Amino acid sequence: MNIMKKFLYFIILPILILFILYFYLPLKINPLKNGSIVLKPAPVTTYSNVQTKLAGPHDFPIYRNISKYGGINAFTSTKDFRNGLLQSLKSAQTKQGRFYQLTVNGRQIGWVNEKFFLRSKLLAAKHVSLTRNPYYSFPVRDAISYIADKHGTLIDPKKVSASQNFFNSTTPGKFTIKLKYHHLKTTINVHVRPNLNEGITVANRTAIVGPSLVKTFSGSSKSSSPNWNPENNYQPETEINRYYDNKHNFMITQFYQPRFHSLTPQPTPLNQIGVIPQGISLKQNQLTVSYFSEPNVEWGHLVTYNLNHLSDPLKSQNLLTMKWREFKNTSRNIAVSPYMKLGHGQSIGMTKKYIYVLASSNKEANPDKSEEIFQISRKNYQINHLWTIKVWNRSSYYPRYFHNACFINSHLMYATFHNASKGLYEYWKLSRNGNTWMPTEIGATQSDFVKNNSPLQSFTSSHSKFYLAFNDNLFIITHPGKLIQHYQFHTLRETEGIAVENNRPYIELARRPELLQIKNQQNKKN
């Protein structure tokens, strides 16, 4: 009997103690409630390839751990992270459904129900309007915004089946293209505009004599920011940069962009943000950057940073190490697009509702092909409208294929064309009326600006002035083509974007992606 009592004592007492501890210990030190100990763990599946997701319309709790019954210890929600880079390498099936171990902007957060993600969606542009051009066929998958499978994992648009891969833009009319991925289906409504002469005009502006050619480096960057190298393991920068010219003007760092940490050693372009910037737009302190995973590709991502809240030029680099509260605030002000067609990514602009992209190809010299213009929602990065344009000087024998352009509003775009055979730059205005973009040459400068045949890297317009950015050089030109000002900085880093905000020029540099403001004798105190 005594043996039985002792046996019951040693069995019941620990159970009673565990029962009391479970219900009365505070959450922080309660290992069963806070997820430190899981009595009935759920089986976890680990993926060899990263799963990239998009947020759905509703917010869900994020848990520290999971069991076979569901999430354990909800400590935050998805509301601060829904616009960021959402990825996962692990999932688990529970009685409450499938959960994914969520990583946001490269940092592991916790477990979330897959109902948080957009699932079983194939979305494409609502409207596609093509200019008539017998020398161009539209790649129909360019109109895809994203594909998410039944678990919310984004799928490469190349895997989508189409009723036809390319749509010839010779015959006017309205047509329907069918897209399919497994059980997901959608259609694209294509309108080929009827006017065959649309975009055919005359380039007859008299060029204004421009500056003598200046030195610049050709090819890719010859230098980098101090820590962007193997010796320093590409660690975040700890100091801002200042670059001076010989007239006491200088560029100063405004914002180092974070390097998005990859979850796998060899991520696919769909899952990798950057690290190559190609273009920027800046509106009301909202910075949008086009990023590509490697040179000379035409699909990438757009990332928007709210610099009204990300005001420190250094902190946003430290996504993996910053304090939790700071990470939540930073993630709240970073928005990442799906993987989408951007062309070379140099020609982008923003309005209140939309991001506009002229998706030209840097692999083309001056073809008679059409060029794509994307109207992308700033709210969710979905392609709302897609147009094509062509600009020919009298005929297709003298095309004007634009590698650099900027958008002023939803109905106005400026572009520049390097007429290398005549040693001049032409400036063009394209005005949209309905679905038609009508070109007019408004100016020209008789100069190649730089030596070494170095290409124009970025272009924008503000207050009736054009800004032409080459590597280490910025020229400010009147719309008719007269030189106003020239800056030359010796950074030896590629210029990857130009923007003007409040009459102040901003330059994006490569190696590390970095936004700098140019300050001259008039505005250096501001």
Side-chain angles (χ1 to χ4, degrees):
M1 191 68 176
N2 289 334
I3 295 174
M4 182 61 69
K5 285 183 178 180
K6 288 182 179 180
F7 177 77
L8 292 174
Y9 176 81
F10 284 110
I11 293 296
I12 295 174
L13 185 61
I15 294 174
L16 183 62
I17 292 172
L18 286 174
F19 181 83
I20 293 171
L21 291 176
Y22 179 80
F23 283 100
Y24 292 101
L25 270 181
L27 179 65
K28 286 186 178 181
I29 59 173
N30 190 324
L32 294 176
K33 282 188 175 182
N34 64 25
S36 299
I37 297 176
V38 180
L39 297 179
K40 295 184 177 181
V44 174
T45 300
T46 301
Y47 302 98
S48 57
N49 295 318
V50 63
Q51 315 283 295
T52 299
K53 315 282 189 175
L54 289 178
H58 304 294
D59 286 311
F60 283 77
I62 298 177
Y63 299 92
R64 293 196 186 278
N65 214 330
I66 51 164
S67 72
K68 71 176 186 178
Y69 298 107
I72 301 173
N73 186 12
F75 68 100
T76 188
S77 83
T78 56
K79 68 178 182 179
D80 294 315
F81 309 111
R82 55 184 307 105
N83 295 322
L85 176 62
L86 309 178
Q87 295 182 318
S88 181
L89 278 174
K90 294 181 179 180
S91 73
Q93 187 65 42
T94 76
K95 290 188 176 181
Q96 293 181 1
R98 186 183 296 269
F99 282 71
Y100 280 86
Q101 189 177 55
L102 182 63
T103 297
V104 179
N105 298 331
R107 180 165 171 166
Q108 187 174 301
I109 303 300
W111 292 84
V112 66
N113 195 300
E114 75 171 3
K115 293 178 182 178
F116 167 59
F117 305 119
L118 280 175
R119 294 171 294 154
S120 299
K121 295 284 186 181
L122 170 53
L123 201 69
K126 297 177 181 178
H127 309 283
V128 175
S129 180
L130 309 180
T131 186
R132 284 185 70 184
N133 186 348
Y135 308 108
Y136 173 78
S137 292
F138 170 64
V140 299
R141 291 175 185 82
D142 289 2
I144 296 175
S145 294
Y146 61 82
I147 317 101
D149 69 12
K150 63 181 180 180
H151 296 301
T153 299
L154 294 183
I155 304 300
D156 194 323
K158 294 177 184 176
K159 296 183 178 181
V160 174
S161 300
S163 55
Q164 56 189 103
N165 294 328
F166 295 89
F167 188 87
N168 187 275
S169 57
T170 300
T171 304
K174 295 183 178 180
F175 309 89
T176 300
I177 297 172
K178 297 179 181 180
L179 300 177
K180 182 180 179 182
Y181 177 77
H182 294 179
H183 67 286
L184 302 176
K185 298 178 182 179
T186 192
T187 58
I188 301 174
N189 296 315
V190 177
H191 175 216
V192 180
R193 303 191 291 273
N195 186 2
L196 187 60
N197 292 320
E198 178 188 318
I200 302 176
T201 184
V202 178
N204 58 3
R205 297 287 299 195
T206 301
I208 295 176
V209 176
S212 301
L213 304 189
V214 298
K215 291 183 179 180
T216 185
F217 65 90
S218 59
S220 59
S221 298
K222 312 303 179 187
S223 184
S224 69
S225 59
N227 289 342
W228 190 264
N229 48 61
E231 293 78 12
N232 290 303
N233 200 28
Y234 302 97
Q235 292 298 311
E237 306 299 333
T238 57
E239 297 180 354
I240 61 174
N241 285 321
R242 288 175 182 260
Y243 297 101
Y244 289 87
D245 68 1
N246 57 9
K247 300 175 184 177
H248 305 292
N249 304 307
F250 64 95
M251 290 197 300
I252 184 170
T253 305
Q254 295 296 300
F255 183 66
Y256 284 115
Q257 291 129 56
R259 185 182 189 186
F260 289 91
H261 176 70
S262 174
L263 301 186
T264 54
Q266 293 181 325
T268 64
L270 181 146
N271 301 315
Q272 176 64 46
I273 309 299
V275 295
I276 302 173
Q278 287 291 2
I280 65 170
S281 182
L282 186 63
K283 183 178 179 63
Q284 296 176 345
N285 240 15
Q286 301 274 341
L287 172 68
T288 295
V289 185
S290 61
Y291 289 109
F292 298 84
S293 60
E294 55 188 82
N296 302 317
V297 295
E298 296 186 357
W299 288 68
H301 297 81
L302 297 171
V303 181
T304 299
Y305 305 94
N306 183 357
L307 301 187
N308 294 300
H309 295 283
L310 304 177
S311 56
D312 189 294
L314 299 169
K315 285 183 178 179
S316 296
Q317 301 173 91
N318 304 299
L319 290 171
L320 302 185
T321 57
M322 62 177 55
K323 293 181 179 179
W324 173 246
R325 181 176 295 180
E326 192 172 15
F327 176 74
K328 288 176 67 175
N329 179 66
T330 301
S331 295
R332 194 183 301 127
N333 292 287
I334 296 176
V336 180
S337 81
Y339 181 63
M340 59 200 318
K341 173 70 176 289
L342 298 174
H344 191 40
Q346 284 189 337
S347 304
I348 63 177
M350 279 193 292
T351 65
K352 184 178 180 180
K353 292 184 178 180
Y354 299 108
I355 297 170
Y356 288 86
V357 178
L358 177 70
S360 57
S361 172
N362 67 334
K363 300 175 185 177
E364 303 280 3
N366 186 31
D368 49 14
K369 296 179 180 179
S370 302
E371 297 183 72
E372 298 170 343
I373 296 176
F374 290 83
Q375 184 190 67
I376 302 166
S377 170
R378 288 182 63 182
K379 182 179 180 181
N380 53 23
Y381 289 111
Q382 294 177 8
I383 302 170
N384 183 57
H385 209 124
L386 193 158
W387 300 273
T388 63
I389 61 168
K390 72 174 189 288
V391 178
W392 296 345
N393 178 23
R394 294 186 172 88
S395 75
S396 61
Y397 289 104
Y398 305 102
R400 296 297 189 263
Y401 189 88
F402 301 126
H403 292 95
N404 293 275
C406 64
F407 294 86
I408 306 304
N409 54 50
S410 294
H411 296 85
L412 178 60
M413 177 178 81
Y414 289 114
T416 183
F417 174 76
H418 184 204
N419 194 330
S421 63
K422 295 184 178 180
L424 59 84
Y425 273 82
E426 301 170 358
Y427 311 114
W428 290 80
K429 173 182 177 181
L430 288 92
S431 303
R432 181 169 71 88
N433 182 12
N435 289 319
T436 301
W437 293 81
M438 298 304 298
T440 306
E441 188 189 17
I442 61 171
T445 303
Q446 188 68 57
S447 177
D448 291 318
F449 291 103
V450 295
K451 299 178 181 179
N452 303 329
N453 295 316
S454 183
L456 180 65
Q457 296 289 92
S458 304
F459 170 81
T460 194
S461 177
S462 178
H463 294 89
S464 299
K465 292 179 285 188
F466 291 126
Y467 294 74
L468 282 71
F470 299 82
N471 291 334
D472 278 354
N473 288 272
L474 173 63
F475 297 89
I476 304 177
I477 310 291
T478 65
H479 276 193
K482 182 180 179 181
L483 176 67
I484 300 174
Q485 193 166 5
H486 169 226
Y487 297 96
Q488 186 171 37
F489 301 97
H490 301 284
T491 70
L492 294 179
R493 295 163 62 187
E494 278 191 85
T495 297
E496 300 290 12
I498 174 75
V500 179
E501 179 90 334
N502 297 324
N503 213 30
R504 298 172 181 172
Y506 292 81
I507 295 287
E508 175 83 0
L509 293 183
R511 294 190 181 179
R512 140 184 343 259
E514 174 186 0
L515 182 73
L516 301 98
Q517 182 188 338
I518 294 178
K519 296 193 175 186
N520 55 33
Q521 296 299 317
Q522 285 74 40
N523 65 20
K524 69 179 182 179
K525 295 181 180 180
N526 296 333

